[in-house]
Amino acid sequence: METEVSILALAALAQSTRLEAFRLLVRHEPDGLPAGDISNHLVIPANTLSSHLGVLTRAGLIRSERRSRSIIYRADLDRLRDLVLFLLKDCCGGRADLCETLLAELAPCCP
């Protein structure tokens, strides 16, 4: 992942509503959620949510898909993986033993 792409993704997540929306969508993978459900869960107006979803989409962190009359939003887990790998690629100067605790924290969430 390029530095500029990473900066765009991190900037998109550097706002509380967008971060919560993204985390909500990650929790609802692989099915995603309709915009109305996201709005209700986050208790924000639809027009405000639309702006936040636009930022996340432009950053490549989420995707949308029309299903009938609804737009379903999903987290882009490939982009999330790329971002995390970009951040951790040179973890601890190549000393994998120093990253063991970090990896141990991630293991239980991904059976």
Side-chain angles (χ1 to χ4, degrees):
M1 176 176 266
E2 296 177 22
T3 299
E4 291 300 318
V5 174
S6 298
I7 290 170
L8 183 62
L10 291 169
L13 295 172
Q15 195 280 339
S16 61
T17 302
R18 289 192 294 269
L19 179 60
E20 288 306 310
F22 182 72
R23 292 181 74 214
L24 177 66
L25 291 171
V26 168
R27 286 191 303 270
H28 283 86
E29 275 299 306
D31 299 323
L33 287 173
D37 289 0
I38 301 169
S39 178
N40 291 338
H41 190 280
L42 299 178
V43 191
I44 59 172
N47 61 339
T48 302
L49 176 66
S50 178
S51 296
H52 290 302
L53 294 176
V55 171
L56 291 168
T57 300
R58 286 187 294 282
L61 293 167
I62 65 172
R63 298 181 195 161
S64 62
E65 169 187 329
R66 181 168 291 282
R67 289 189 199 154
S68 184
R69 297 182 67 194
S70 295
I71 297 178
I72 306 299
Y73 289 89
R74 296 186 56 222
D76 187 329
L77 297 182
D78 290 333
R79 179 61 62 101
L80 176 59
R81 183 198 67 236
D82 292 346
L83 180 61
V84 171
L85 288 174
F86 175 81
L87 293 171
L88 298 176
K89 187 86 170 172
D90 301 315
C91 181
C92 306
R95 290 199 44 212
D97 58 309
L98 296 175
C99 294
E100 285 179 14
T101 57
L102 174 63
L103 297 174
E105 288 285 327
L106 292 173
C109 76
C110 305

XYZ file of all heavy atoms in Angstrom:
848
model
N 0.852 -1.173 0.000
C 0.000 0.000 0.000
C 0.895 1.233 0.000
O 1.886 1.285 0.725
C -0.900 -0.031 1.227
C -1.766 1.190 1.380
S -2.922 1.102 2.764
C -4.358 0.483 1.945
N 0.534 2.198 -0.786
C 1.297 3.430 -0.881
C 1.024 4.330 0.317
O -0.049 4.274 0.917
C 0.940 4.174 -2.161
C 1.298 3.434 -3.428
C 0.851 4.187 -4.668
O 0.656 5.412 -4.586
O 0.693 3.535 -5.700
N 1.978 5.181 0.625
C 1.856 6.095 1.758
C 0.642 7.004 1.609
O -0.123 7.185 2.565
C 3.144 6.926 1.911
O 4.232 6.026 2.146
C 3.036 7.905 3.056
N 0.439 7.574 0.437
C -0.682 8.505 0.236
C -2.032 7.825 0.418
O -2.961 8.409 0.973
C -0.595 9.175 -1.143
C 0.554 10.134 -1.279
C 0.484 11.284 -0.268
O -0.606 11.840 -0.040
O 1.544 11.610 0.298
N -2.156 6.590 -0.035
C -3.400 5.829 0.129
C -3.638 5.564 1.609
O -4.759 5.670 2.109
C -3.349 4.520 -0.685
C -4.558 3.650 -0.414
C -3.242 4.828 -2.174
N -2.576 5.249 2.316
C -2.684 5.007 3.756
C -3.099 6.264 4.498
O -3.943 6.211 5.402
C -1.356 4.512 4.327
O -0.994 3.302 3.737
N -2.530 7.376 4.129
C -2.875 8.649 4.765
C -4.344 8.970 4.538
O -5.042 9.411 5.458
C -1.960 9.779 4.261
C -0.541 9.570 4.794
C -2.488 11.150 4.657
C 0.499 10.487 4.177
N -4.837 8.746 3.333
C -6.246 8.994 3.024
C -7.153 8.119 3.894
O -8.149 8.599 4.455
C -6.510 8.741 1.540
C -7.909 9.029 1.024
C -8.268 10.493 1.183
C -8.021 8.613 -0.428
N -6.803 6.839 4.029
C -7.608 5.927 4.858
C -7.552 6.325 6.320
O -8.591 6.360 7.009
C -7.114 4.492 4.674
N -6.371 6.645 6.822
C -6.250 7.028 8.228
C -6.975 8.347 8.505
O -7.611 8.500 9.551
C -4.776 7.129 8.618
C -4.038 5.799 8.661
C -2.531 6.032 8.783
C -4.551 4.915 9.781
N -6.919 9.270 7.571
C -7.638 10.541 7.731
C -9.143 10.309 7.776
O -9.857 10.941 8.559
C -7.272 11.499 6.602
N -9.626 9.400 6.946
C -11.063 9.092 6.944
C -11.494 8.514 8.285
O -12.597 8.797 8.767
C -11.392 8.128 5.816
N -10.641 7.725 8.901
C -10.973 7.093 10.179
C -10.695 8.004 11.379
O -11.045 7.655 12.508
C -10.183 5.794 10.337
C -10.526 4.697 9.334
C -9.552 3.539 9.462
C -11.965 4.234 9.502
N -10.119 9.162 11.139
C -9.744 10.072 12.217
C -10.894 10.982 12.651
O -10.679 12.057 13.187
C -8.534 10.905 11.805
N -12.104 10.538 12.447
C -13.299 11.272 12.860
C -14.218 10.254 13.518
O -14.413 9.152 12.983
C -13.938 11.930 11.633
C -14.947 13.001 11.914
C -16.321 12.445 12.269
O -16.643 11.304 11.953
N -17.118 13.249 12.934
N -14.780 10.598 14.661
C -15.476 9.600 15.485
C -16.664 8.934 14.794
O -16.822 7.710 14.889
C -15.907 10.214 16.817
O -16.790 11.290 16.614
N -17.484 9.673 14.085
C -18.645 9.069 13.432
C -18.210 8.111 12.332
O -18.751 7.012 12.202
C -19.585 10.149 12.859
O -19.990 11.009 13.921
C -20.802 9.529 12.202
N -17.218 8.514 11.552
C -16.732 7.631 10.485
C -16.073 6.390 11.060
O -16.271 5.284 10.552
C -15.767 8.383 9.567
C -16.471 9.414 8.705
C -15.589 9.932 7.608
N -14.452 10.705 8.065
C -14.466 12.027 8.237
N -15.561 12.720 7.996
N -13.383 12.645 8.638
N -15.318 6.548 12.125
C -14.688 5.399 12.763
C -15.744 4.431 13.288
O -15.653 3.217 13.068
C -13.769 5.850 13.901
C -13.055 4.738 14.664
C -12.172 3.913 13.732
C -12.246 5.333 15.813
N -16.776 4.951 13.929
C -17.843 4.085 14.446
C -18.619 3.417 13.313
O -18.992 2.249 13.406
C -18.779 4.863 15.364
C -18.155 5.201 16.694
C -17.609 3.972 17.422
O -18.333 2.970 17.551
O -16.442 4.021 17.851
N -18.861 4.149 12.231
C -19.558 3.558 11.080
C -18.726 2.428 10.483
O -19.254 1.349 10.172
C -19.837 4.626 10.026
N -17.429 2.657 10.341
C -16.564 1.634 9.785
C -16.516 0.408 10.693
O -16.650 -0.727 10.226
C -15.152 2.188 9.550
C -14.227 1.185 8.938
C -14.375 0.807 7.618
C -13.225 0.600 9.688
C -13.529 -0.131 7.044
C -12.375 -0.337 9.129
C -12.527 -0.702 7.805
N -16.355 0.615 11.979
C -16.310 -0.505 12.920
C -17.638 -1.277 12.909
O -17.649 -2.499 12.996
C -15.987 -0.002 14.324
C -14.558 0.540 14.413
C -14.211 1.006 15.794
N -14.017 -0.185 16.611
C -14.338 -0.268 17.894
N -14.874 0.767 18.509
N -14.124 -1.370 18.562
N -18.754 -0.562 12.785
C -20.066 -1.210 12.696
C -20.128 -2.098 11.456
O -20.591 -3.240 11.519
C -21.161 -0.144 12.660
C -22.596 -0.629 12.496
C -23.043 -1.430 13.718
C -23.522 0.568 12.261
N -19.651 -1.582 10.336
C -19.679 -2.366 9.105
C -18.749 -3.568 9.176
O -19.078 -4.633 8.649
C -19.346 -1.475 7.904
C -20.423 -0.449 7.571
C -19.923 0.527 6.513
C -21.710 -1.127 7.142
N -17.615 -3.427 9.832
C -16.712 -4.572 10.006
C -17.420 -5.660 10.802
O -17.340 -6.846 10.471
C -15.391 -4.143 10.686
C -14.579 -5.350 11.133
C -14.565 -3.272 9.742
N -18.155 -5.269 11.843
C -18.878 -6.245 12.663
C -19.987 -6.946 11.883
O -20.398 -8.043 12.247
C -19.481 -5.570 13.899
C -18.459 -5.217 14.950
C -19.099 -4.803 16.269
N -20.012 -3.688 16.176
C -19.675 -2.404 16.312
N -18.423 -2.061 16.521
N -20.591 -1.469 16.232
N -20.474 -6.308 10.829
C -21.584 -6.882 10.056
C -21.139 -7.495 8.727
O -21.954 -7.677 7.819
C -22.669 -5.832 9.839
C -23.493 -5.614 11.055
N -23.133 -4.730 12.044
C -24.626 -6.201 11.474
C -24.028 -4.764 13.005
N -24.941 -5.650 12.691
N -19.876 -7.808 8.629
C -19.405 -8.533 7.452
C -19.839 -9.981 7.557
O -19.909 -10.513 8.661
C -17.878 -8.462 7.350
C -17.391 -7.218 6.653
C -17.874 -7.118 5.232
O -17.681 -8.054 4.444
O -18.476 -6.103 4.895
N -20.174 -10.659 6.495
C -20.060 -10.234 5.108
C -21.341 -9.621 4.539
O -21.362 -9.227 3.388
C -19.751 -11.544 4.388
C -20.522 -12.569 5.145
C -20.462 -12.109 6.588
N -22.394 -9.538 5.340
C -23.681 -9.092 4.802
C -23.793 -7.588 4.594
O -24.526 -7.147 3.724
C -24.820 -9.566 5.705
C -24.874 -11.072 5.808
O -24.600 -11.740 4.798
O -25.167 -11.585 6.900
N -23.101 -6.804 5.403
C -23.219 -5.360 5.307
C -24.519 -4.873 5.924
O -25.296 -5.653 6.488
N -24.746 -3.582 5.801
C -25.946 -2.961 6.360
C -26.493 -1.912 5.405
O -25.716 -1.203 4.753
C -25.621 -2.252 7.681
C -25.364 -3.095 8.910
C -24.889 -2.208 10.056
C -26.609 -3.853 9.305
N -27.819 -1.777 5.373
C -28.406 -0.674 4.609
C -28.106 0.657 5.300
O -27.923 0.709 6.527
C -29.900 -0.951 4.622
C -30.097 -2.248 5.307
C -28.823 -2.654 5.943
N -28.078 1.713 4.536
C -27.774 3.040 5.074
C -28.704 3.407 6.218
O -28.265 3.972 7.224
C -27.851 4.083 3.957
N -29.977 3.077 6.105
C -30.940 3.409 7.164
C -30.607 2.744 8.486
O -30.747 3.355 9.549
N -30.143 1.502 8.425
C -29.757 0.800 9.650
C -28.523 1.430 10.280
O -28.425 1.537 11.504
C -29.492 -0.680 9.373
C -30.758 -1.466 9.069
O -31.858 -0.871 9.074
O -30.631 -2.677 8.813
N -27.590 1.841 9.449
C -26.393 2.506 9.972
C -26.790 3.812 10.651
O -26.353 4.111 11.767
C -25.370 2.779 8.848
C -24.953 1.474 8.177
C -24.160 3.529 9.391
C -24.164 1.673 6.895
N -27.643 4.574 9.990
C -28.122 5.838 10.537
C -28.815 5.633 11.878
O -28.570 6.370 12.837
C -29.071 6.506 9.539
O -29.582 7.700 10.051
N -29.675 4.625 11.955
C -30.386 4.343 13.202
C -29.440 3.904 14.310
O -29.576 4.334 15.460
C -31.455 3.266 12.980
C -32.593 3.746 12.132
O -32.835 4.942 12.016
N -33.283 2.822 11.495
N -28.502 3.056 13.969
C -27.568 2.547 14.973
C -26.689 3.660 15.537
O -26.434 3.713 16.740
C -26.703 1.437 14.385
C -25.898 0.725 15.414
N -24.732 1.232 15.918
C -26.100 -0.443 16.065
C -24.243 0.400 16.823
N -25.055 -0.629 16.922
N -26.242 4.557 14.664
C -25.355 5.642 15.091
C -26.119 6.870 15.575
O -25.508 7.814 16.077
C -24.413 6.029 13.957
C -23.471 4.928 13.453
C -22.630 5.446 12.302
C -22.587 4.418 14.575
N -27.434 6.847 15.392
C -28.320 7.950 15.791
C -27.843 9.270 15.168
O -27.571 10.253 15.856
C -28.440 8.064 17.333
C -29.562 9.016 17.704
C -28.647 6.711 17.980
N -27.730 9.255 13.840
C -27.386 10.462 13.105
C -28.315 10.581 11.900
O -28.801 9.575 11.381
C -25.912 10.485 12.647
C -25.584 9.302 11.737
C -24.965 10.527 13.827
C -24.209 9.390 11.115
N -28.585 11.799 11.457
C -29.468 11.991 10.305
C -28.874 11.381 9.028
O -27.650 11.302 8.873
C -29.561 13.511 10.164
C -28.997 14.092 11.407
C -28.122 13.052 12.029
N -29.745 10.982 8.144
C -29.326 10.327 6.897
C -28.393 11.201 6.068
O -27.418 10.701 5.502
C -30.554 9.932 6.079
N -28.661 12.512 5.999
C -27.806 13.368 5.170
C -26.404 13.502 5.769
O -25.416 13.556 5.041
C -28.436 14.733 4.932
C -28.685 15.506 6.206
O -28.755 14.945 7.300
N -28.833 16.804 6.074
N -26.295 13.513 7.079
C -24.988 13.554 7.730
C -24.247 12.246 7.476
O -23.053 12.232 7.146
C -25.141 13.794 9.245
O -25.838 15.023 9.445
C -23.803 13.827 9.951
N -24.971 11.136 7.618
C -24.366 9.830 7.374
C -23.869 9.726 5.941
O -22.782 9.211 5.687
C -25.365 8.707 7.656
C -24.856 7.308 7.334
C -23.695 6.932 8.254
C -25.977 6.296 7.437
N -24.634 10.229 5.010
C -24.254 10.166 3.601
C -22.891 10.814 3.365
O -22.053 10.278 2.630
C -25.324 10.848 2.752
O -24.962 10.833 1.400
N -22.662 11.941 3.995
C -21.363 12.620 3.861
C -20.242 11.757 4.411
O -19.180 11.626 3.787
C -21.381 13.960 4.602
O -22.311 14.817 4.025
N -20.463 11.165 5.579
C -19.439 10.320 6.191
C -19.175 9.066 5.352
O -18.022 8.677 5.167
C -19.850 9.921 7.609
C -19.810 11.062 8.571
N -18.683 11.805 8.816
C -20.775 11.583 9.365
C -18.942 12.731 9.718
N -20.210 12.621 10.063
N -20.220 8.462 4.838
C -20.042 7.271 4.003
C -19.306 7.615 2.716
O -18.517 6.810 2.210
C -21.395 6.617 3.706
C -22.127 6.018 4.914
C -23.495 5.482 4.496
C -21.302 4.949 5.601
N -19.536 8.810 2.204
C -18.816 9.261 1.016
C -17.317 9.365 1.262
O -16.510 8.952 0.428
N -16.941 9.886 2.415
C -15.518 9.996 2.765
C -14.894 8.605 2.875
O -13.805 8.349 2.356
C -15.335 10.794 4.076
C -13.896 10.725 4.568
C -15.767 12.241 3.896
N -15.599 7.690 3.554
C -15.088 6.326 3.716
C -14.992 5.604 2.368
O -14.048 4.850 2.131
C -15.974 5.535 4.681
C -15.908 5.988 6.136
C -17.041 5.344 6.945
C -14.554 5.675 6.749
N -15.939 5.859 1.484
C -15.923 5.250 0.157
C -14.740 5.770 -0.656
O -14.011 4.989 -1.275
C -17.250 5.515 -0.585
O -18.325 4.949 0.166
C -17.236 4.932 -1.987
N -14.544 7.087 -0.646
C -13.430 7.667 -1.401
C -12.079 7.184 -0.870
O -11.116 7.070 -1.632
C -13.509 9.192 -1.391
C -14.604 9.737 -2.296
C -14.562 11.244 -2.415
N -14.866 11.941 -1.181
C -16.088 12.129 -0.681
N -17.140 11.666 -1.341
N -16.268 12.781 0.448
N -12.027 6.866 0.414
C -10.790 6.342 1.007
C -10.616 4.856 0.713
O -9.582 4.278 1.040
C -10.797 6.581 2.518
N -11.627 4.243 0.103
C -11.545 2.833 -0.253
C -11.803 1.888 0.899
O -11.541 0.696 0.796
N -12.346 2.398 2.001
C -12.571 1.568 3.177
C -13.916 0.848 3.162
O -14.089 -0.159 3.850
C -12.452 2.409 4.451
C -11.048 2.932 4.729
C -11.088 3.995 5.813
C -10.135 1.784 5.121
N -14.868 1.377 2.404
C -16.176 0.723 2.300
C -16.606 0.696 0.843
O -16.096 1.449 0.004
C -17.266 1.407 3.166
C -17.564 2.824 2.675
C -16.876 1.396 4.637
C -18.769 3.456 3.366
N -17.560 -0.188 0.567
C -18.165 -0.307 -0.765
C -19.672 -0.262 -0.602
O -20.203 -0.628 0.447
C -17.806 -1.638 -1.404
C -16.354 -1.845 -1.642
C -16.151 -3.179 -2.305
N -14.754 -3.562 -2.223
C -14.333 -4.777 -2.383
N -15.190 -5.750 -2.626
N -13.059 -5.051 -2.313
N -20.328 0.130 -1.648
C -21.788 0.121 -1.618
C -22.309 -0.702 -2.781
O -21.660 -0.835 -3.818
C -22.340 1.544 -1.683
O -21.969 2.165 -2.886
N -23.496 -1.257 -2.563
C -24.131 -2.099 -3.570
C -25.639 -1.874 -3.479
O -26.216 -1.920 -2.395
C -23.787 -3.551 -3.249
C -24.556 -4.582 -4.004
C -24.243 -5.976 -3.475
O -23.126 -6.234 -3.000
O -25.156 -6.812 -3.533
N -26.259 -1.608 -4.614
C -27.711 -1.412 -4.629
C -28.395 -2.768 -4.636
O -28.076 -3.635 -5.441
C -28.144 -0.605 -5.836
C -29.656 -0.373 -5.851
C -30.064 0.656 -6.851
N -29.644 2.000 -6.532
C -30.234 2.790 -5.634
N -31.258 2.349 -4.953
N -29.802 4.004 -5.430
N -29.313 -2.942 -3.716
C -30.169 -4.129 -3.676
C -31.605 -3.641 -3.624
O -32.057 -3.136 -2.605
C -29.886 -4.987 -2.440
C -28.577 -5.710 -2.485
C -28.450 -6.690 -1.346
N -27.060 -7.054 -1.140
C -26.564 -7.458 0.007
N -27.354 -7.558 1.069
N -25.302 -7.766 0.111
N -32.262 -3.771 -4.746
C -33.634 -3.288 -4.868
C -33.649 -1.787 -4.578
O -32.986 -1.034 -5.244
C -34.560 -4.083 -3.942
O -35.887 -3.690 -4.115
N -34.360 -1.372 -3.537
C -34.463 0.054 -3.213
C -33.452 0.483 -2.151
O -33.412 1.646 -1.770
C -35.872 0.371 -2.754
C -36.901 0.118 -3.847
C -38.272 0.479 -3.408
N -38.355 1.916 -3.221
C -39.339 2.523 -2.594
N -40.320 1.823 -2.090
N -39.344 3.828 -2.464
N -32.655 -0.442 -1.667
C -31.694 -0.144 -0.603
C -30.270 -0.097 -1.147
O -29.945 -0.760 -2.122
C -31.740 -1.226 0.477
O -32.980 -1.239 1.119
N -29.453 0.676 -0.474
C -28.019 0.648 -0.740
C -27.381 -0.015 0.473
O -27.556 0.430 1.602
C -27.448 2.052 -0.967
C -28.087 2.667 -2.206
C -25.929 1.992 -1.110
C -27.642 4.077 -2.510
N -26.677 -1.102 0.212
C -26.024 -1.866 1.268
C -24.551 -1.462 1.299
O -23.880 -1.463 0.264
C -26.145 -3.389 1.029
C -27.606 -3.794 0.839
C -25.479 -4.168 2.158
C -28.514 -3.504 2.011
N -24.073 -1.137 2.476
C -22.673 -0.754 2.662
C -21.931 -1.882 3.347
O -22.450 -2.527 4.250
C -22.568 0.532 3.492
C -23.031 1.728 2.712
C -24.364 2.118 2.735
C -22.144 2.465 1.925
C -24.803 3.211 2.005
C -22.578 3.549 1.189
C -23.900 3.919 1.242
O -24.327 4.993 0.508
N -20.708 -2.111 2.880
C -19.857 -3.163 3.446
C -18.455 -2.624 3.643
O -17.978 -1.811 2.840
C -19.790 -4.361 2.498
C -21.129 -5.048 2.307
C -21.025 -6.304 1.490
N -20.069 -7.211 2.100
C -19.172 -7.911 1.406
N -19.112 -7.815 0.100
N -18.347 -8.727 2.011
N -17.810 -3.095 4.686
C -16.407 -2.753 4.900
C -15.567 -3.485 3.859
O -15.860 -4.621 3.506
C -15.981 -3.160 6.309
N -14.543 -2.833 3.374
C -13.611 -3.471 2.447
C -12.491 -4.073 3.289
O -11.529 -3.381 3.658
C -13.075 -2.463 1.445
C -12.242 -3.116 0.356
O -11.598 -4.163 0.639
O -12.219 -2.594 -0.766
N -12.620 -5.349 3.622
C -11.660 -6.009 4.500
C -10.289 -6.159 3.847
O -9.274 -6.190 4.548
C -12.200 -7.355 4.970
C -13.471 -7.285 5.816
C -13.890 -8.675 6.263
C -13.304 -6.356 7.009
N -10.244 -6.215 2.528
C -8.947 -6.262 1.848
C -8.187 -4.961 2.072
O -6.978 -4.964 2.328
C -9.110 -6.525 0.355
C -9.575 -7.940 0.055
O -9.295 -8.840 0.873
O -10.213 -8.135 -0.997
N -8.896 -3.840 1.983
C -8.243 -2.543 2.211
C -7.824 -2.414 3.673
O -6.760 -1.897 3.979
C -9.180 -1.403 1.810
C -8.627 0.002 2.023
C -7.350 0.316 1.236
N -7.517 0.263 -0.178
C -7.669 1.309 -0.964
N -7.685 2.522 -0.473
N -7.808 1.146 -2.260
N -8.653 -2.906 4.590
C -8.296 -2.885 6.005
C -7.035 -3.716 6.246
O -6.113 -3.277 6.932
C -9.451 -3.407 6.859
C -9.180 -3.540 8.358
C -8.798 -2.207 8.979
C -10.399 -4.135 9.056
N -6.987 -4.897 5.650
C -5.799 -5.744 5.774
C -4.563 -5.029 5.240
O -3.511 -5.004 5.890
C -6.003 -7.061 5.025
C -4.808 -8.022 5.190
C -4.763 -9.118 4.139
N -4.493 -8.513 2.828
C -5.256 -8.658 1.758
N -6.322 -9.425 1.786
N -4.957 -8.068 0.626
N -4.693 -4.414 4.081
C -3.569 -3.693 3.491
C -3.097 -2.551 4.390
O -1.892 -2.327 4.530
C -3.939 -3.137 2.118
C -4.148 -4.214 1.072
O -3.763 -5.387 1.313
O -4.717 -3.888 0.006
N -4.033 -1.843 4.993
C -3.688 -0.736 5.877
C -2.958 -1.236 7.120
O -1.925 -0.691 7.510
C -4.946 0.048 6.266
C -4.737 1.237 7.198
C -3.815 2.274 6.564
C -6.087 1.849 7.554
N -3.484 -2.287 7.727
C -2.842 -2.839 8.927
C -1.457 -3.369 8.593
O -0.492 -3.132 9.323
C -3.738 -3.924 9.571
C -3.000 -4.663 10.669
C -5.018 -3.300 10.109
N -1.339 -4.057 7.471
C -0.025 -4.567 7.059
C 0.951 -3.431 6.775
O 2.133 -3.518 7.115
C -0.154 -5.483 5.844
C -0.771 -6.844 6.118
C -0.983 -7.607 4.816
C 0.084 -7.647 7.081
N 0.461 -2.363 6.177
C 1.304 -1.197 5.924
C 1.840 -0.646 7.238
O 3.020 -0.305 7.345
C 0.518 -0.116 5.169
C 1.280 1.156 4.976
C 2.209 1.280 3.950
C 1.077 2.239 5.815
C 2.920 2.459 3.766
C 1.781 3.423 5.638
C 2.710 3.531 4.617
N 0.971 -0.565 8.243
C 1.382 -0.015 9.539
C 2.347 -0.937 10.284
O 3.215 -0.471 11.013
C 0.156 0.255 10.408
C -0.774 1.357 9.913
C -2.048 1.374 10.740
C -0.079 2.706 9.937
N 2.182 -2.236 10.092
C 2.962 -3.198 10.867
C 4.086 -3.866 10.088
O 4.827 -4.676 10.658
C 2.038 -4.276 11.431
C 0.963 -3.787 12.391
C 0.053 -4.926 12.794
C 1.595 -3.130 13.608
N 4.223 -3.551 8.836
C 5.174 -4.247 7.968
C 6.581 -4.290 8.557
O 7.241 -5.311 8.528
C 5.207 -3.577 6.594
C 6.027 -4.294 5.580
C 5.224 -5.344 4.916
C 5.998 -5.887 3.734
N 5.365 -7.020 3.178
N 7.006 -3.204 9.101
C 8.350 -3.133 9.657
C 8.305 -3.175 11.186
O 9.136 -2.576 11.859
C 9.051 -1.861 9.178
C 9.144 -1.830 7.663
O 9.494 -2.871 7.079
O 8.855 -0.777 7.076
N 7.337 -3.899 11.688
C 7.097 -3.982 13.135
C 8.388 -4.315 13.885
O 9.037 -5.322 13.603
C 6.036 -5.034 13.423
S 5.643 -5.208 15.167
N 8.732 -3.455 14.791
C 9.838 -3.711 15.721
C 11.159 -3.970 15.006
O 11.962 -4.802 15.460
C 9.487 -4.856 16.654
S 7.928 -4.588 17.519
N 11.376 -3.327 13.890
C 12.642 -3.443 13.187
C 12.981 -4.844 12.734
O 14.140 -5.234 12.682
N 11.949 -5.615 12.400
C 12.181 -6.971 11.923
C 12.312 -8.009 13.020
O 12.525 -9.183 12.738
N 12.165 -7.595 14.263
C 12.237 -8.539 15.375
C 10.832 -9.032 15.685
O 10.104 -8.445 16.482
C 12.860 -7.868 16.595
C 14.329 -7.596 16.381
C 15.103 -7.360 17.637
N 14.771 -8.302 18.700
C 14.807 -7.971 19.992
N 15.134 -6.754 20.359
N 14.507 -8.868 20.915
N 10.446 -10.107 15.049
C 9.088 -10.650 15.175
C 8.714 -10.964 16.614
O 7.550 -10.861 16.994
C 8.944 -11.896 14.312
N 9.702 -11.324 17.429
C 9.405 -11.653 18.822
C 8.807 -10.467 19.571
O 8.006 -10.642 20.487
C 10.662 -12.153 19.544
C 11.803 -11.150 19.513
O 12.133 -10.655 18.412
O 12.359 -10.862 20.594
N 9.162 -9.243 19.180
C 8.607 -8.057 19.829
C 7.151 -7.818 19.435
O 6.431 -7.115 20.129
C 9.459 -6.827 19.511
C 10.887 -6.862 20.045
C 11.658 -5.650 19.546
C 10.903 -6.935 21.558
N 6.710 -8.390 18.324
C 5.340 -8.211 17.849
C 4.417 -9.342 18.305
O 3.230 -9.323 17.995
C 5.316 -8.107 16.325
S 6.140 -6.635 15.706
N 4.948 -10.321 19.003
C 4.140 -11.474 19.407
C 2.910 -11.082 20.209
O 1.835 -11.639 20.006
C 4.993 -12.469 20.193
C 5.923 -13.260 19.319
C 6.790 -14.226 20.119
O 6.497 -14.473 21.299
O 7.765 -14.728 19.535
N 3.040 -10.126 21.126
C 1.870 -9.740 21.936
C 0.795 -9.097 21.076
O -0.390 -9.330 21.295
C 2.274 -8.794 23.080
O 2.925 -7.647 22.532
C 3.194 -9.481 24.074
N 1.203 -8.315 20.101
C 0.237 -7.703 19.184
C -0.505 -8.778 18.399
O -1.735 -8.762 18.300
C 0.945 -6.750 18.227
C 0.109 -6.128 17.126
C -0.986 -5.262 17.706
C 0.982 -5.340 16.183
N 0.219 -9.722 17.866
C -0.405 -10.803 17.102
C -1.298 -11.664 17.991
O -2.357 -12.121 17.560
C 0.670 -11.644 16.417
C 1.514 -10.901 15.379
C 2.630 -11.789 14.872
C 0.658 -10.384 14.255
N -0.891 -11.878 19.223
C -1.707 -12.663 20.156
C -3.032 -11.962 20.435
O -4.064 -12.611 20.594
C -0.935 -12.898 21.450
N -3.032 -10.625 20.473
C -4.272 -9.870 20.689
C -5.227 -10.010 19.501
O -6.434 -10.023 19.672
C -3.957 -8.385 20.904
C -3.317 -8.072 22.214
C -4.307 -8.115 23.366
O -5.485 -7.778 23.169
O -3.883 -8.503 24.458
N -4.676 -10.123 18.309
C -5.499 -10.226 17.105
C -6.045 -11.638 16.891
O -7.131 -11.805 16.344
C -4.701 -9.816 15.873
C -4.312 -8.353 15.787
C -3.370 -8.129 14.606
C -5.535 -7.472 15.680
N -5.340 -12.640 17.308
C -5.717 -14.028 17.037
C -7.106 -14.397 17.538
O -7.857 -15.042 16.803
C -4.657 -14.969 17.588
N -7.524 -14.041 18.763
C -8.842 -14.468 19.237
C -10.025 -13.908 18.441
O -11.085 -14.489 18.408
C -8.900 -13.970 20.680
C -7.494 -13.739 21.072
C -6.753 -13.394 19.812
N -9.838 -12.762 17.783
C -10.961 -12.167 17.057
C -11.179 -12.827 15.705
O -12.176 -12.581 15.049
C -10.771 -10.655 16.900
S -9.578 -10.187 15.656
N -10.249 -13.608 15.277
C -10.306 -14.209 13.940
C -10.126 -15.721 14.026
O -9.073 -16.251 13.656
C -9.225 -13.605 13.061
S -9.281 -11.803 12.959
N -11.154 -16.433 14.504
C -10.990 -17.898 14.668
C -10.800 -18.609 13.342
O -11.206 -18.193 12.324
C -12.290 -18.324 15.326
C -13.268 -17.231 15.088
C -12.475 -15.989 14.824
